[in-house]
Amino acid sequence: MADTPYKPIMSVADLEAFIERDFPQVHMDGRVFHIASVEPGATTMRLEPKERHLRPGGTVSGPTLFTMADVCAYMVILAHIGPAKHTVTTNLNINFMHKAAPGPIFCTGRLLKLGRRLAVVEATITDEKDTIVAHATATYSIPPGRKDTVK
Amino acid sequence: MADTPYKPIMSVADLEAFIERDFPQVHMDGRVFHIASVEPGATTMRLEPKERHLRPGGTVSGPTLFTMADVCAYMVILAHIGPAKHTVTTNLNINFMHKAAPGPIFCTGRLLKLGRRLAVVEATITDEKDTIVAHATATYSIPPGRKDTVK
Amino acid sequence: MADTPYKPIMSVADLEAFIERDFPQVHMDGRVFHIASVEPGATTMRLEPKERHLRPGGTVSGPTLFTMADVCAYMVILAHIGPAKHTVTTNLNINFMHKAAPGPIFCTGRLLKLGRRLAVVEATITDEKDTIVAHATATYSIPPGRKDTVK
Amino acid sequence: MADTPYKPIMSVADLEAFIERDFPQVHMDGRVFHIASVEPGATTMRLEPKERHLRPGGTVSGPTLFTMADVCAYMVILAHIGPAKHTVTTNLNINFMHKAAPGPIFCTGRLLKLGRRLAVVEATITDEKDTIVAHATATYSIPPGRKDTVK
């Protein structure tokens, strides 16, 4: 996993500006999702769960973990191809594994494949103790004209 | 698909009462999810999408479709084993296929397997024109003591 | 599931001729896979398991079930677009559910989506008693030039 | 990924002896699968593809990649719980990504979760140039009596 052939062309600030302008739904329930880092082939996000993200007992809800994996996977693709906002999820497979410790959770999306038409991303969600909370693999369809969207 | 070895033991009213009492998060953003029917091996839900469920252009959002598939799969299991609320999703695989026509969408969850420890459900989401919007397969872990919860 | 917008353009005989000519690997270990029927949106195959397809105890092996789901999904796509042999599997998700009764097993592949670039197929494997042995969902990438291959 | 809470209790030689004795189907078509290493939370296998594992053009076939991911995931579980041979695959999701360069391919299975009843494994298949050929996530059901099988 150490080596990756991919190089990002958008920074943390670029991705956050993209969300503000083109993907405000991410902040629909408050500013809880943050871009933590962008590296070659990978992007990490952080979520501070609020009451609405939890199930009784303090488990982070399935829809919250799904959303985090999906947004993070989308971000790592855009970080490497530019703001091609018409990129869409075609498949997402998620395994729920351990209850998160109270506090923030983190999602790292890693590019497994970045093709012209399809991208495949692996997303691992962990808590502050590095316990794996959930793990997803997702496929995205990239619109044909995407090259035009990258300056 | 016509034949199923499974017989439900909870009705539409039983499931709706369970949601009120034990799973109020379903109504967190308003009463938009409804149980439409319970049949042998299957349960159908209806969603009236609001602004918060849509992406620009009117597409129902991925997290909304994930939530609907997951809740519907959970409901068809409970309909057949009783209110074993500690049943949890362990895996969910979802394919996003077509944009939904404006209006309500429907999700039918069908039991593929109902074992003592694991249940597997297929969930198909369609719009009013019967176009397949999304399709999911999900696995649930059933807690050992579940028999006590079934009258 | 009853209604489907899809109409096949290859028959059982056309698919079997395609396998002979372009996909002889299906018969690598003997002629055990057969096309049983082609219908609008669906194709059914039959497998007569031999010793090499079984695990101790008589369970049909995972690789055999995977192969059957994958070949059947490929066949239902070709049945509807013609012999576009460069169509490739990009994702396959399979759940293994029940042990098959001794004897033949059947796989029905149903088109969930047949787009220009991607097709999504659901495949259900059953035994002679109609028990669901395995269930898969798979995505295929269709080569751009495919229209030329359809008469 | 660097840290793992898991410690193996079987060595490469133990796993190879297990295959000889209890899982000879792995060698059904010749001795092509080898255990390359066992580490905390991970196991790596090597395959030298023969003619029967290839598709025209030299691509390693889908069933071969599925088999490799499944066997490798099973091996990393056994390496950590002992020879609990009744452990069975319940779900496997695989993405096919790049054509392998000619020569051996490698599969590393990593434990994402090792619970009492369920284990979840991620398996990455690469070629000699470190290109990712396929990536799978799989769930296994562990038989209740497994503790007895671990010395």
Side-chain angles (χ1 to χ4, degrees), chain A residues 25 29 52 56 90 92 94 96, chain B residues 25 29 56 90 92 94 96:
Chain A
Q25 297 89 338
D29 298 310
R52 69 169 289 122
T90 59
L92 193 147
I94 186 164
F96 300 102
Chain B
Q25 296 89 340
D29 297 311
T90 59
L92 193 147
I94 186 163
F96 299 102

Side-chain angles (χ1 to χ4, degrees), chain D residues 57-70:
Chain D
T59 311
V60 180
S61 77
T64 300
L65 296 171
F66 169 89
T67 302
M68 189 176 200
D70 190 32

